[in-house]
Amino acid sequence: MANPKSNINHKLSLNGELSVDGQKIVETVKQGEEYITHTYDFIELLRRFDGKEVSLSVTEKQPIAPASE
């Protein structure tokens, strides 16, 4: 019997600065004229997936300068 392809996905999406030593992710968001930071316990969030089959991807965002015209 073939394995079914249907499934339910549980996803964790975080945006911010990763501190491996501090095991945190710090997200900065603009609210009106001020910036507010939110700190997330990276390891505690990963514990939700402990013992599960997962796929992990990390992407670094960097601004680039436009080409001169």
Side-chain angles (χ1 to χ4, degrees), residues 2-65:
N3 290 333
K5 293 186 179 187
S6 299
N7 58 47
I8 296 174
N9 291 317
H10 296 266
K11 181 178 179 181
L12 170 64
S13 179
L14 299 167
N15 292 297
E17 183 177 324
L18 171 63
S19 170
V20 173
D21 290 337
Q23 302 178 350
K24 306 281 184 202
I25 292 187
V26 178
E27 176 184 39
T28 303
V29 293
K30 188 173 181 179
Q31 187 172 22
E33 293 299 316
E34 55 185 274
Y35 289 89
I36 298 172
T37 61
H38 303 283
T39 302
Y40 301 96
D41 184 329
F42 186 58
I43 299 303
E44 186 59 35
L45 292 169
L46 286 179
R47 285 192 207 295
R48 297 178 185 186
F49 298 91
D50 190 33
K52 309 290 193 248
E53 183 177 333
V54 299
S55 172
L56 181 64
S57 176
V58 176
T59 304
E60 178 186 13
K61 295 181 182 179
Q62 292 186 348
I64 59 172

